Amino acid sequence: MASGLPLRHPAQGFNASQQLIKSDRGGMLTMSDDNVMMKQIVGTHAPDGREVDVKPLLHLVEDILKRATLQIDTSLTTSQAHAELEDKTHQINFVSMIDALTYTIDRISCEIAYKALSGTDAHATTLSIFNMLTSYSWDAKLVLTLAAFALNYGEFWLLAQIYSSNQLAKSMAILKQLPNIMEHSGTLKPRFQAINNLINIMMDVARCVVEFKDLPSSYISNEVPALSTAMAHIPTAVYWTMRSVVACAVQITGLTTMGLEFSVSTTEVWELSTLAHKLNNILEHLRKQLAACYHHIDEKRNVETFQMLKNLFEMIHIDNMKVLRALIYAKDDIQPLIDGSSKKRVHLDVLRRKNVLLLISGLDILNDELSILEQIYNESRQHGARLDSQYELVWVPIMDHSVQWSDTVNEKFKSMQSSMPWFTVYHPSVIEKPVIRFIKEVWHFRNKPILVVLDPQGKLVCPNALHMMWIWGSNAFPFTSLREESLWREETWRLELLVNGIDPVILNWIKEGKYIFLYGGDDIEWVRKFTNNARAVAQAAQIPLEMVYVGKSSKREKIRRLMTTITVEKLSYIWEDLTMIWFFWTRIESMLYSKIQLGKLDDHDPMMQEIKKLLSYDREGGWAVLSNGSNVVVNGHSTTILPTLVEYELWKDQVPVKGFDLALQDHHRTIHGISHPCCRFDFPMTMGRIPETMKCPECNRAMEKFSTFLCCHDEVIPDVLFQ
């Protein structure tokens, strides 16, 4: 059919098109002084202040150019295309905008077609378009020009796609020589690919320019270097994109006016590729500046959100929803929590007007911690209505947003989440950066888990109730700082304080009024001497004595081996479950933490002095605490308690006079006055609240402060205070 077409390619049209190509190519190669050229372009820019929202028009252009390809899809009908764009194009504002801009778009379209036929230089054609759009903003100039191009380019490909099945389109296609062009589409494919590639880059540049226009002025201004740099380059980006529009239009106009004779030269593909390369460089620069702008905006928004969070906790609220939304997830588009009992997604409303305990941690929370916490949580649920409705626990996983979310990390997170019976945040990414900053800076989170308590109105009532939870369990409800102080006032220095909730066997010994030695350390020779001498003294003094080894706060694997030896040699009773040993030391450390948090670390509190001694002795060798039933008789270091027992012959005569307890205390005090073991406390940097000063529990002097680096080699170390 193509051979019978009345092809029209008069010499004048052919020469004009060839002249356009030569002048366009020559212009690109000879006009190297971009400054002179851009000064000319900027000189045409005289915006009148009108604001044109070009995004809907850009979406329409995108749709046209996306469908206008060499790949003919006869299944795509105009009704389908209309349906897909209905939401965008049938809005009142959009329709009115199109009405206002149609005349301008038609003028540009005609200008491009006329200049393409007349052989006008590409720069001159582009400049004439700028002169037509002098009163518009840079983004509007670009989108209007792309719309004008889409009008002609879309018509070309619409006819190409439907002329075989539509008689009207077929007649119009013959006038434009489309059947002949499509018949030889194989030889034209490189050119169409070059056009499509250039169009894609043109659209990327347009989207980027429009994004700059839409940056929120409340968060960024031209004083920001990234934005000022981009604004200075946008005229250049707009110019070269519009010039690329002209180049693409020349190709299509040449084909429809001169047919295949226009395709004899292969240099046009090179021209289009050169433009694409130049535009791509411009695009990369703009994207780099845009990324910097978004980073600046994010930082400003993060600062604003951070301050909002601080202000939020200074306000009074009718319930806790506003606070929880700010901390966990502010929108309603997803269910941000998982119910630990049903494993189903739920909204934050399940926490409305309840006491909420936020368990904040990374993914390195210990199994020991989770095990004990779950035990306490489940026990509280067994009390029924008395406690069940009073508080809810929510795990808030904190992950650095810069850390790559790998399959391994995801599996670990899912495994932890599935093991928790309480509410959990659906995914760590739900927690925003400013919230993480707030948790770290205001709540002093340093990777070690904390348990933040909010009352039913969202008020912070305890910055970390984990210490209370470890010491008193659910009896510490409602986990406020006032409750914490009240519980301390009720406590006394007694053995139950150290072992409560851990081992009922010891509690039974206490009820039976037995003497009980709690002891620890990692020197097996000292353990042998201590247990043998303690047993000998008890037999000589005729007192009922039980001994239990409670290990150390560190060196887990070494302690495991030592426990095996104690069991084999039957030196004393031990806790076979290492979780019990971990919990014992965690509770002791929590007592110190609790006092630090309450600001009462160095109060003249005899009970706290004994707790501090015990923690210090653990770091400096072995130790032992002797109680008579509930009452603590002596708390001594290995260097003082063993000699006291070894020298029983020196003080045994005082036992009938003073009683065993006082006689042992007096002799231990004598030895302690000669041997002064150093006191030492190590606070890991992961602890949120490290005291500035600390007084020695032995002599009450201010202790010296050091920085320590510690490595325990290949042993598995529990994540506790002393590491």
Side-chain angles (χ1 to χ4, degrees), residues 69-72 153 157 180-198 251-252 255 260 263 265-266 268-269 272-273:
T69 65
L70 185 62
Q71 302 300 321
I72 299 173
Y153 193 66
W157 282 109
N180 193 33
I181 293 171
M182 291 298 104
E183 187 175 313
H184 296 83
S185 60
T187 58
L188 294 173
K189 189 173 183 180
R191 180 176 303 181
F192 283 124
Q193 286 178 336
I195 292 173
N196 287 340
N197 181 50
L198 182 54
Q251 298 297 317
I252 300 303
L255 282 172
L260 295 179
S263 65
S265 173
T266 59
E268 290 77 32
V269 174
L272 297 174
S273 298

Side-chain angles (χ1 to χ4, degrees), residues 537 540-541 644 647-664 666-667:
V537 168
T644 299
E647 296 175 0
Y648 175 68
E649 292 296 323
L650 298 179
W651 55 274
K652 70 177 183 179
D653 293 340
Q654 298 297 316
V655 173
V657 179
K658 299 179 180 178
F660 180 83
D661 297 6
L662 187 57
L664 184 147
D666 287 348
H667 193 76

Side-chain angles (χ1 to χ4, degrees), residues 4 59 157 159 201 265 290 310 334 361 375 381 432 573 608 613 621 633:
H59 290 151
W157 282 109
L159 291 175
I201 299 175
S265 173
L290 187 61
K310 292 180 71 175
I334 66 168
S361 79
Q375 181 180 330
R381 267 25 193 182
E432 295 183 343
Y573 174 66
M608 200 60 222
K613 285 180 186 178
V633 176

Side-chain angles (χ1 to χ4, degrees), residues 163-180:
Y163 78 90
S164 61
S165 60
N166 184 290
Q167 185 57 46
L168 175 60
K170 182 177 181 179
S171 299
M172 293 180 64
I174 291 172
L175 288 176
K176 290 182 175 288
Q177 306 190 69
L178 274 174
N180 193 33

Side-chain angles (χ1 to χ4, degrees), residues 541-651:
Q542 296 183 337
I543 60 172
L545 177 68
E546 300 288 351
M547 293 180 287
V548 56
Y549 176 72
V550 296
K552 284 179 68 69
S553 63
S554 60
K555 301 184 179 180
R556 192 180 182 104
E557 291 305 309
K558 186 174 183 179
I559 297 307
R560 192 195 302 272
R561 293 192 294 270
L562 197 146
M563 288 166 59
T564 301
T565 302
I566 293 174
T567 302
V568 170
E569 297 181 13
K570 299 180 180 179
L571 299 178
S572 76
Y573 174 66
I574 65 167
W575 288 337
E576 295 182 359
D577 187 354
L578 286 174
T579 299
M580 295 170 70
I581 293 177
W582 172 87
F583 190 41
F584 172 82
W585 287 108
T586 297
R587 289 184 75 252
I588 304 298
E589 292 154 2
S590 293
M591 295 173 194
L592 180 66
Y593 276 152
S594 175
K595 287 290 187 176
I596 291 173
Q597 186 168 279
L598 291 173
K600 298 183 178 181
L601 176 63
D602 288 325
D603 282 1
H604 298 292
D605 179 359
M607 175 175 56
M608 200 60 222
Q609 297 299 92
E610 296 299 327
I611 291 169
K612 287 162 70 175
K613 285 180 186 178
L614 185 56
L615 289 168
S616 176
Y617 295 160
D618 175 60
R619 290 301 293 167
E620 293 292 333
W623 59 273
V625 171
L626 176 66
S627 74
N628 180 355
S630 178
N631 299 319
V632 176
V633 176
V634 68
N635 175 16
H637 188 262
S638 59
T639 57
T640 61
I641 198 71
L642 180 57
T644 299
L645 297 174
V646 171
E647 296 175 0
Y648 175 68
E649 292 296 323
L650 298 179
W651 55 274

